[in-house]
Amino acid sequence: MIDTDPGMGSLGTDPEDGFAILYALGSPGVTVEGITLTHGNVPVSHSWSNANHLLQLAGRPDVPVHAGAHEPRDTQKRALQTSWLNQREGLTRLAPELTLPESTAVEFLTSTVADSPGEITVVAIGPLTNIAAAIEADDTFAANLDRLVIMGGAATCGGNITPAAEFNIWMDPEAADGVFGSGAPITMVGLDVCHQTSFDTSQVDALAERGSKLASFAAECSKAWIDIRGAADDGDGSLHLYDSLAVAAAIDPDLVGCRDLLVQIETGDGPAQGMTVTYTNEILRMLLVGKNPNTSVALDVEVDRFAALFAQRVTATL
């Protein structure tokens, strides 16, 4: 199952969640049980339309989609993030607007995992609000997961929303704290390893030339985002394939090299809020904290093999 905040369908927002969904759908032997939506890149009202439109274009309207959390767990403490998010309501839409139904994401997550204990991998590529809510709603949820693969955090580098924090964790640190402390079998695919991947303008142009509705849609969404990144001070005219790498690591675990490390979440109000404090020094971890590792942290990726898989399972299928 994929828990996500797809911006693909709103010009100027990150389209990469959409690529991750397409990667999963295009992977042999993989069953996508469903997609749950959370606040993040865009409000859930946008991501509902975006996800359903993408599935229609991909010929997979059979995949269940469930709306989830509209805001962080602690709305008083995280009002700034929510306010910033809601300013994005005016974004130009490429996907047709659909009526947003009642939120059913948590019920879907918990019931699906309970029905197939030890068999379901959840790939969380947005803020962890839905996952934290599922853990609270069902005290067997974390233990019954096969794996929880999280695109979020940064173990050995700075953040991408603040100098300390990665966006998904920063959006709801309290939820992330609950998830990382839950005992779930977590793999963290953070900025460290995601920054080793890329999707550039030549690949966007190749998509545009394919001519299908889905390829044209993906190219238009990607071009808008790359143009924004190219105008930014640190932009290099390309996307990093954050979410697609998380899905790829869930499907082919040996694609990434991991270390078992202790990860704790900074939930304070200071400038480090949302930081994934990762103890890479085992001696200091035991001396200062005295806790065992709780996360398999991805630090390296077979870049060429991942690029070939992405081309095979995403771009070649559009």
Side-chain angles (χ1 to χ4, degrees):
M1 293 191 288
I2 302 174
D3 188 70
T4 179
D5 55 337
M8 181 180 275
S10 301
L11 282 175
T13 62
D14 188 349
E16 217 272 299
D17 295 73
F19 283 136
I21 293 170
L22 294 173
Y23 189 106
L25 294 175
S27 295
V30 173
T31 300
V32 179
E33 296 286 349
I35 294 169
T36 53
L37 304 175
T38 183
H39 67 99
N41 285 321
V42 292
V44 174
S45 58
H46 277 46
S47 62
W48 174 258
S49 299
N50 294 344
N52 281 283
H53 185 58
L54 179 67
L55 291 171
Q56 287 286 343
L57 289 178
R60 292 300 307 274
D62 57 296
V63 177
V65 182
H66 293 264
H70 293 252
E71 55 193 5
R73 301 285 281 163
D74 188 339
T75 55
Q76 292 183 339
K77 195 170 186 180
R78 301 301 162 199
L80 174 62
Q81 285 92 317
T82 303
S83 174
W84 170 83
L85 179 65
N86 287 341
Q87 292 174 13
R88 302 170 72 95
E89 285 284 2
L91 292 169
T92 301
R93 302 178 68 93
L94 290 175
E97 188 170 0
L98 302 174
T99 301
L100 181 66
E102 180 183 352
S103 295
T104 54
V106 172
E107 179 182 354
F108 177 72
L109 285 164
T110 54
S111 62
T112 304
V113 171
D115 289 344
S116 302
E119 298 180 9
I120 302 294
T121 295
V122 173
V123 189
I125 54 178
L128 293 171
T129 313
N130 286 336
I131 309 303
I135 290 169
E136 283 191 10
D138 182 350
D139 58 9
T140 69
F141 178 80
N144 281 339
L145 287 170
D146 176 38
R147 280 188 303 150
L148 173 59
V149 180
I150 295 170
M151 190 285 112
T156 62
C157 66
N160 64 351
I161 186 68
T162 73
E166 179 275 331
F167 175 81
N168 286 338
I169 306 299
W170 178 84
M171 283 292 290
D172 197 343
E174 285 74 27
D177 186 48
V179 171
F180 277 86
S182 68
I186 295 173
T187 298
M188 184 176 96
V189 180
L191 299 180
D192 327 64
V193 65
C194 294
H195 284 169
Q196 299 172 41
T197 69
S198 67
F199 182 79
D200 60 26
T201 52
S202 65
Q203 292 164 287
V204 175
D205 293 340
L207 272 182
E209 292 172 1
R210 293 186 67 85
S212 72
K213 287 185 178 180
L214 181 54
S216 299
F217 176 70
E220 189 170 2
C221 294
S222 301
K223 185 179 185 305
W225 183 247
I226 287 176
D227 287 347
I228 289 172
R229 283 192 51 80
D233 291 340
D234 62 346
D236 59 2
S238 68
L239 289 167
H240 293 302
L241 294 169
Y242 303 95
D243 303 320
S244 297
L245 181 59
V247 169
I251 296 169
D252 299 294
D254 62 346
L255 193 63
V256 293
C258 297
R259 284 183 62 192
D260 289 338
L261 301 170
L262 174 64
V263 178
Q264 296 180 314
I265 309 300
E266 175 55 59
T267 59
D269 293 328
Q273 69 176 32
M275 181 179 182
T276 44
V277 181
T278 306
Y279 294 84
T280 57
N281 186 306
E282 295 185 8
I283 295 175
L284 291 178
R285 168 176 58 80
M286 292 306 299
L287 286 174
L288 298 176
V289 187
K291 293 185 177 181
N292 292 324
N294 61 352
T295 304
S296 179
V297 178
L299 296 173
D300 297 293
V301 57
E302 294 183 36
V303 175
D304 292 340
R305 183 155 77 96
F306 170 65
L309 286 169
F310 183 85
Q312 177 187 10
R313 297 179 179 184
V314 180
T315 53
T317 66
L318 304 186

